[in-house]
Amino acid sequence: MKKTIGSVGVIVLSFCSLTVFSQQTWEARNNATVDSISAKYKDKILPAPVAKTTSSIFPVLGVYETSTNPEAGKLLITSDESNKGIIWVEGLPQGRVKALLTRSPATYKIPAQQNAEGKAVAEGTLIYDKELNTLSICIGKAYNSLDPAVAFTAPVVTEEAVVTKKTKTKTKKPVAPKPWVYTGTKVIQETAVIN
């Protein structure tokens, strides 16, 4: 009997304390200490950062159109499901091409590869300019890890004369194949917000 009365007493006391605590509310705006502290740091408090989206982490993903390369038409760039450092470029005359992220957020190396059709694709560079929304692709020029943008500069044409000792005739060095360059702008898809 004593145990029952003791347990009932404990239950009643806990219920009473819960009702007392639930009636008391604490608000920061009514607290003088909180006001004095927040007044000191009012100018130094930064807003909460915006949540990162896939397009902010990988801005190169999307659809591109060009006016300079009619053979390419629209390009579609998607990410690889298994490796986020790999993108796939579809719509090129060379076929579907894989590119590897080398410098974040939007510099990619196109390794020498064979596409799904078995066609050989030379090494190249893919750079997306986020401010201008332009995509630049150069296939046929080796990727320069120190300065990837050098692939898009015009090559300096030099004629080297090779003189043979016996005939003393000049011959020109064979010219390397001309790289294929693509420049396009990103198609921005705006979504409507209904209030």
Side-chain angles (χ1 to χ4, degrees):
M1 184 79 163
K2 288 182 182 181
K3 289 183 181 182
T4 309
I5 293 173
S7 59
V8 171
V10 169
I11 294 172
V12 170
L13 284 175
S14 63
F15 179 72
C16 290
S17 63
L18 285 176
T19 58
V20 170
F21 285 126
S22 65
Q23 290 174 357
Q24 295 176 353
T25 57
W26 183 82
E27 293 183 23
R29 63 178 170 235
N30 296 335
N31 191 316
T33 306
V34 173
D35 289 339
S36 65
I37 291 172
S38 57
K40 280 184 184 178
Y41 301 105
K42 192 173 192 176
D43 297 334
K44 296 179 184 176
I45 296 175
L46 298 175
V50 178
K52 293 202 179 242
T53 61
T54 304
S55 61
S56 67
I57 298 170
F58 301 105
V60 73
L61 302 178
V63 178
Y64 295 87
E65 290 182 341
T66 182
S67 58
T68 59
N69 300 78
E71 73 275 6
K74 283 189 175 184
L75 292 186
L76 173 65
I77 299 181
T78 57
S79 65
D80 191 74
E81 291 92 25
S82 62
N83 187 343
K84 297 297 180 191
I86 297 176
I87 59 169
W88 292 95
V89 184
E90 297 180 39
L92 294 173
Q94 292 84 356
R96 186 173 188 226
V97 176
K98 172 175 68 172
L100 310 171
L101 179 66
T102 56
R103 289 187 185 173
S104 188
T107 302
Y108 292 84
K109 174 185 178 181
I110 300 172
Q113 58 192 291
Q114 282 194 345
N115 61 14
E117 295 83 33
K119 188 176 180 183
V121 178
E123 186 175 340
T125 306
L126 181 145
I127 297 176
Y128 174 67
D129 186 355
K130 193 173 180 179
E131 285 78 31
L132 300 175
N133 284 335
T134 58
L135 176 73
S136 301
I137 300 174
C138 179
I139 296 177
K141 231 180 189 184
Y143 177 80
N144 185 344
S145 61
L146 299 176
D147 185 15
V150 78
F152 302 101
T153 60
V156 178
V157 179
T158 59
E159 291 184 14
E160 293 183 19
V162 178
V163 178
T164 60
K165 292 181 181 179
K166 294 181 182 177
T167 60
K168 297 195 181 207
T169 60
K170 295 182 179 182
T171 58
K172 290 187 177 179
K173 202 177 196 182
V175 178
K178 187 177 178 182
W180 184 83
V181 178
Y182 171 90
T183 305
T185 56
K186 190 172 191 176
V187 177
I188 305 295
Q189 296 177 349
E190 295 183 18
T191 56
V193 177
I194 300 173
N195 291 335

